[in-house]
């Protein structure tokens, strides 16, 4: 929302050269003429309903949105979308296979990546192949929990304090209530934040193999209902989420708090493999890494990395994760070191990978097919998916940093984005 | 990557109860056995190539990934993906129409949203309808530019200083070189950052109606080549991007620097419309907003908002934007005020909306169809798309904050995410 | 380190108009001529040693640095300074008294403030008087702990993981070792951060009534020595502090982690008192607060407040706290609300107030006298000092926000900074 | 304000073991009994007035606060303090001399440091001596400006936009008005931030050799008065500072915006000098630096450094700078590199050093004496002071990182903090 004088002036000139101020202001003024009729909302998805929605918009179904496959599979979208008119087709490529030696992931994984950005799959592919050639990356799921932070307003900090005392005493009851709403989630801990007469509780849940956002919302709501009925202190306002959880937002607390799956991956790349796969040396890689780490710091990012968002978004889309979670997941630390033996040590650490292998969009047909391609659909696979995700990003960082360190970056984009 | 003792202990217990330390360590150790054969990379996309890639993986094409439409349209993916095996189908819903009174956007826009998150479209729909009923939102594109920040290492800060002097003198030549690489982009300004013997130049470009990331990379590379050939100061290292640009990362500098399109939207919602559409009062809305604003601040987010990422990701996916840019775009400020007349003033301001209406994924068939549905495909529409995007997020904030303020939030998720 | 082209050019012009590039570069080049002789360091402070240091510098003692009082009290500085040549005299004013109703602080406290900034004491004075007139502020010490975070490097994440397992098992021993180094501090918890093959342990200590930085360093060193001797995993590097503690730096983790004393204070100011003392209304105050809160967010600060640093620095200096800790302590949240009765609710919350009433500079004569003036010197008073500190800052925020809301801000500075 | 359940419970237990909830709540409740009489404020400082203030407090002057020197020099405090009762004596030590090869600083500077923290002067001393032995550091003032950001509220973003158009057109008049208020400051640029119907202007001033905060406030107020009288758009609220300037707060925008003096310093330390002075090797230093840089990033600090606040606070206090500015100045980047020749390259870069050599506290007797000791009192010296400041911090980082890399850190604190 900010611009220097020269930029502001340039922008104003570009506007005012074509129109005078008065006509611009007329444009900007709310129009009291009746708006176009709202689309009649409906949440069920079926072939018939989709057709009806197009009709409601006064249009014939567009064959690139409502293609045969989508039409035939419309009911599979039920529960994942409202006002459905079809589907968007995101190109899907495969990189790898990537060898992952993890606590949960074991073996060589194909990496399905959905994107429309040229060069992305190619870049992750060469990174993954290089890692595999080096014996695979080691990946470790460090923690797992999803939080939700209901907020409570009181008349005074005195009441806020009394509430905290009561809440601490009632924690076992909160657990009972929360755990009664779900077979897979468990309320495992709670933090308290007192800000004047406001209190935020920060509930932490394990969520089984689901990403778990709905699960923790429903469980937290149940606890809030219990609090409303039982708390001896008068609560002026109560909200199931006070925006302290970091939900769908990059937040600094991700490093010290818990949101999704924390995972770290590392690999040792011998100099000769580096040379063969990405035409560079460990020293060139660490030189660039150091400079880019400081660049990231100076720009005010959280953590230091190159392009976590690219691989994350592509894998999240391919496997039916919530694409909006890219906003919170795409933070972390990439670290490159030149070893005493002249090889390259590389690691990535991600504080908040929001993935699941059940629920959400994972059961949609094409997303499920992608997970199955990896062998990671369904219960028991979320830990492995998080570890593969870290390995994928490690490969991406290796590839892009090599590209930037050697000047290949522009060449690749010039060639592949025709 | 951090956990308290209790959480760490719980995590260790969950691991070590099932396996001993030694077998876990064996799992984690790199495996020297030959990895699975790499997929043979190819960048051209055609029906034949896609089939061949499946064969290379030793699998039959999966009908939910390689459906008839995708097979028939494979060539349209060329230049947007490598190693293509099909497409992922993301459910597409439509919200609105949303009335936008902007510098560029004028009228009632359908809002195509691609997502697999239940309740998302429904929530944006009710927000959009309410805004339209209030005469529409006012939206203003404030600035537009995309930056790239090449980095230069020298032997000393003395050389770094000499380089800055030379670069400032050479700026008109940089412009000439940069502008020669593109018909649509223009190098408009440059910032300099000196950190010891390192210098980052921060080039700012206008990019016409494209999102423009490739355009600015290619132009910056040309300037870097020019610098390499002409600079009288010895440059030890030169990189086309030093990670200062904020590319695909939430960064604090977005507020004071320039990245994509800066846009703000506002609406005045009379109390009676608020009541009708979202069953709440302006006072309830501003009460919650205040508490959630502080919650966001305490969690260490950049800016304060509810869920920009939800609407952004869904619109980006529907219209062929780069989904990874959600990471950098999903920051900004939502502000709600109770007016003296007892109505609700609401605004959103976004510092870095990365959208285009030409190039990237915008020309893919289904994405193009979504843009056409809005009437915003092709040249001359990027300003309007950015303004509609702001209006969409304004609607989303109104709807979700109403849901959280009234307790509907959980109910909606419980009902729609069946 | 960054400037736009216009600013850079202006700066270069101001330099190069007076000198050519070559002479500037000569200036900047390291000079191999022998440097001036180093001062002979000594750590003991006594009248004789101070005189000798002046002689070593080849100068007569300056009477404004080495005045009679300082000369006579030189030995009292022993253990707080090296290479002593005298003292700097910081003007000391008193504001208040401030009524504090705290868990620890009870009654009306004079507020000694050392500063050279005109208008500072006057501003805090009127804020304190207003709070007292309203019955005093309620203040609550929320938590107390100081952390230190030793860092450990391993050959691989596998070893890092083994180390974490061992460290968790050994925590009781760590406590024994740590607690053996101090009578006042206790190791109460530990967090672990794994980043690739690096591990940071985050030890949290209570520190009695001391600020406690040295205490926790010594205790942590003892634990590190124990680890070095006993850890079965090979540690490649070990450091007593890995820069994760936030020591003397504003850090986002202060809100979720523990550093010093967390304290919150609130007051309800009736409209008539607000009018009498600061000539404004609750509405004017909350209007400004809202705008300044967003301003703070947009500038990328941690938390939202006006000028915590002013009061903190002045109280820290007066009472012998570590002035460098202002960097980490001056973050937090100020919140103003218009109540349903038309009065003003105001609160401040500070996550990391680093204060003590024993040790450090608290025993220096004038600093001790300031603490005694408050009745807070020595054991048993640190909780009260933290609460008074919060009350002081609450008064300051009320006063400065009133000044900014009414336009008095400039007037006061114009009048008092003669 | 946040704690995990275990910490919260421990805290509650420590409270409730000694008192019951009801008595605690009584303590916390505002007391309507008349508060102690306010001190009668007065702003003039003279021997008589100081005595009178003690009498007003009902106390005899404390000889350690009101010593002879302070009594005799009371009038020199006039204009720097209100409600004066004496002075606080901060121990003053001298480190160095430090050789600085700067654009402005040239030669060997004694470094007066006021602190009560044991080991601080000793640590900076050894760093400074080592730098001098290596030929001195190169230091470069990069930019200079102080900003103030008045804020304006309008009825709509339409009016906000009109205001921006008008303000841009009126900038030369703003400059005339601003520059008329001061002989030393100049309004050099303005940025605009539009957030809904709010606008923040960000005025940038040069301030001569003063730190300049009052100067820019008064100049900005004059511009605001001009705006109020002349602006054709109806302004609902106008504030001279909207909290966007970063005044006395660590803010991320410091890196891309302008606040005080931006300065960078570097030195090349040959391995043998490093060994002689701090008993370590370039490799050990860079190993620690890398780990601590990531530690800083994970803790959510702005920039990466060790302990800028220590040296800054001590130099600011010694030389009459505003100690509260430590909060905004103590951010930046320290970078260590192992050179190809096996030596150590070290640099520090500080975005916002707030120093002056005229005005503020620089004219107080002991502070002036410290500046004179450096040869930097009065007009024409602020650039040199900023460069010496950077050199000082560079020495401090070298010394402390050496201490941490070798384990000397604890030993030094154990020995010197007796």
């Amino acid at each position: 929302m900010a611009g220097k004088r020269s930029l502001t002036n340039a922008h104003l000139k570009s506007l005012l050269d074509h129109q005078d101020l008065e006509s611009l202001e007329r444009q900007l003024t709310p129009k009291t003429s009746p708006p176009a009729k709202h689309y009649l909302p409906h949440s069920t998805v079926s072939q018939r309903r989709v057709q009806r929605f197009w009709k409601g918009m006064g249009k014939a179904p567009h064959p690139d949105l409502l293609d045969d496959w989508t039409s035939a599979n419309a009911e599979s979208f039920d529960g994942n979308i409202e006002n459905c008119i079809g589907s968007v087709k995101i190109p899907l490529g495969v990189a790898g296979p990537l060898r992952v030696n993890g606590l949960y992931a074991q073996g060589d994984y194909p990496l399905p990546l959905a994107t429309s950005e040229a060069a992305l799959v190619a870049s992750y592919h060469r990174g993954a192949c290089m890692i595999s050639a080096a014996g695979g990356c080691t990946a470790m799921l460090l923690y797992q929990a999803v939080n939700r932070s209901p907020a409570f307003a009181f008349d005074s900090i005195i009441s806020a304090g009394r509430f905290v005392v009561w809440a601490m005493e009632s924690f076992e009851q909160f657990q009972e209530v929360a755990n009664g709403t779900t077979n897979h989630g468990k309320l495992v801990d709670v933090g308290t934040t007192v800000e004047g007469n406001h209190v935020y509780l920060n509930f932490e849940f394990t969520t089984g193999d689901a990403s778990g956002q709905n699960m923790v919302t429903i469980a937290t709501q149940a606890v809030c209902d219990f609090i409303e009925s039982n708390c001896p202190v008068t609560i002026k306002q109560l909200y199931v989420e006070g925006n302290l959880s970091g939900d769908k937002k990059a937040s600094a607390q991700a490093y010290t708090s818990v949101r999704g799956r924390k995972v770290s991956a590392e690999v040792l790349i011998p100099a000769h493999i580096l040379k063969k796969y990405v035409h560079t040396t460990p020293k060139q890689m660490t030189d660039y890494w150091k400079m880019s780490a400081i660049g990231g710091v100076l720009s005010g990012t959280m953590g230091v990395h190159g392009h976590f968002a690219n691989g994350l978004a592509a894998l999240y889309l391919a496997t039916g994760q919530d694409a909006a979670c890219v906003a919170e997941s795409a933070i972390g630390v990439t670290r490159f070191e030149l070893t005493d033996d002249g090889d390259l040590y590389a690691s990535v650490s991600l504080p908040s990978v929001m993935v699941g292998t059940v629920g959400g969009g994972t059961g949609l047909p094409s997303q499920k097919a992608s997970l199955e391609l990896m062998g990671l659909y369904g219960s028991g696979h979320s830990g492995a998916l998080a570890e593969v995700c870290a390995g994928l990003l490690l490969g991406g960082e290796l590839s892009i940093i090599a590209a930037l360190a050697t000047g290949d970056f522009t060449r690749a984009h010039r060639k592949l984005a025709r």
Side-chain angles (χ1 to χ4, degrees), chain A:
Chain A
M1 289 79 88
K4 286 289 182 187
R5 187 159 59 106
S6 58
L7 189 63
T8 308
N9 279 328
H11 182 67
L12 292 177
K13 196 172 148 43
S14 80
L15 283 173
L16 296 173
D17 273 4
H18 300 93
Q19 263 183 299
D20 59 27
L21 211 50
E22 281 63 38
S23 75
L24 283 174
E25 292 188 10
R26 267 194 306 279
Q27 270 184 229
L28 294 167
T29 304
K31 309 295 183 298
T32 49
S33 61
K37 234 173 117 261
H38 300 156
Y39 309 131
L40 205 67
H42 59 85
S43 53
T44 311
V45 190
S46 68
Q47 228 172 311
R48 211 170 46 94
R49 291 284 194 133
V50 170
Q51 293 285 350
R52 203 199 285 173
F53 200 92
W54 279 102
K55 190 173 293 178
M57 293 199 297
K59 287 180 190 281
H62 193 295
D64 290 330
L65 296 177
L66 189 57
D67 57 281
D68 287 351
W69 182 96
T70 299
S71 206
N73 286 276
E75 275 158 50
S76 71
F77 291 0
D78 196 52
N80 287 99
I81 191 93
E82 300 85 39
N83 299 6
C84 184
I85 64 164
S87 73
V88 165
K89 269 65 74 181
I90 315 275
L92 181 70
V94 180
L98 172 71
R99 176 164 292 184
V100 183
N101 310 294
L103 291 173
Y104 299 93
Q106 278 291 314
D108 299 333
Y109 294 88
L111 304 168
L113 298 169
T115 185
S116 59
E117 192 198 350
L120 189 150
V121 175
S123 178
Y124 281 86
H125 181 65
R126 79 172 184 160
C129 295
M130 181 166 66
I131 288 174
S132 298
C137 62
T138 299
M140 207 186 268
L141 179 69
L142 299 167
Y143 300 105
Q144 182 223 324
V146 176
N147 59 343
R148 206 151 263 313
S149 50
F152 306 85
F154 300 91
D155 63 340
S156 69
I157 196 174
I158 304 177
S159 301
R162 282 192 46 163
F163 173 73
V164 170
V165 172
W166 177 80
M168 289 300 111
E169 285 166 355
S170 310
F171 184 68
E172 275 75 27
Q173 285 170 283
F174 294 175
Q175 285 184 305
E176 217 171 282
V177 169
N179 300 351
T181 64
T182 160
N183 290 322
H184 303 291
K186 284 209 176 335
L187 174 56
V188 289
D189 205 353
V190 61
T192 55
T193 295
V194 177
E195 185 270 310
N197 57 7
H198 287 177
V199 176
Y200 303 80
L201 294 179
N202 201 14
F203 288 127
E204 295 176 358
F205 297 88
T206 56
T207 61
D209 285 299
S211 174
Q213 287 136 313
N214 283 344
M215 188 190 294
V216 305
T217 301
I218 289 165
T220 302
Q221 184 68 53
V223 178
C224 287
D225 294 347
F226 175 87
I227 290 174
E228 218 167 9
S229 308
N230 294 280
C231 179
V233 190
T234 306
I235 300 171
K236 288 181 64 181
Q237 295 153 23
L238 179 164
Y239 309 109
V240 72
E241 170 61 55
N243 207 20
L244 191 81
S245 66
D247 190 13
K248 304 201 178 171
K249 278 170 286 284
S251 73
Q253 74 171 1
Y255 292 108
T256 48
S257 167
V258 186
R259 181 119 193 115
R261 281 151 177 92
K262 290 179 191 286
V263 61
S264 194
E266 71 175 11
V267 69
L268 192 77
I269 310 269
H272 69 95
I273 290 188
L274 201 66
K275 181 160 188 203
K276 176 175 166 197
Y277 280 82
V278 295
H279 323 300
T280 179
T281 66
K283 174 80 165 55
Q284 281 181 295
M285 297 287 272
T286 54
D287 276 353
Y288 176 75
W289 174 79
K290 275 186 286 183
M291 192 155 195
S292 74
I294 299 294
V297 162
L298 290 171
S299 74
T301 53
M302 288 157 180
V304 285
H305 63 97
H307 282 104
F308 283 177
N310 272 336
L312 272 171
L315 186 70
Y316 277 21
L317 287 174
T319 61
Q321 313 302 323
D322 188 340
C325 290
V326 168
E328 61 183 300
S329 296
I331 63 172
V333 170
T334 297
R335 178 160 54 85
F336 282 15
E337 307 256 4
L338 181 61
T339 69
D340 293 342
D341 299 335
D343 296 326
L344 179 70
Y345 172 87
S347 70
V348 297
S349 300
L350 291 131
S352 44
V353 174
M354 289 295 291
V355 292
T357 53
V358 300
T362 60
L364 293 171
S366 51
Q367 287 81 340
K368 183 180 167 189
S370 290
L371 280 169
E372 285 172 344
L373 192 67
M374 305 171 80
L376 297 178
Y377 178 69
S379 288
H381 293 302
S382 63
L385 183 58
E387 291 179 341
V388 171
C389 182
L392 166 74
L393 299 195
L394 179 60
E397 295 291 277
L398 284 164
S399 181
I400 198 170
I401 287 181
L404 283 161
T406 57
D408 277 347
F409 182 71
T410 314
R411 271 188 293 280
H413 279 84
R414 209 152 26 191
K415 178 159 155 264
L416 295 174
R418 289 145 301 171

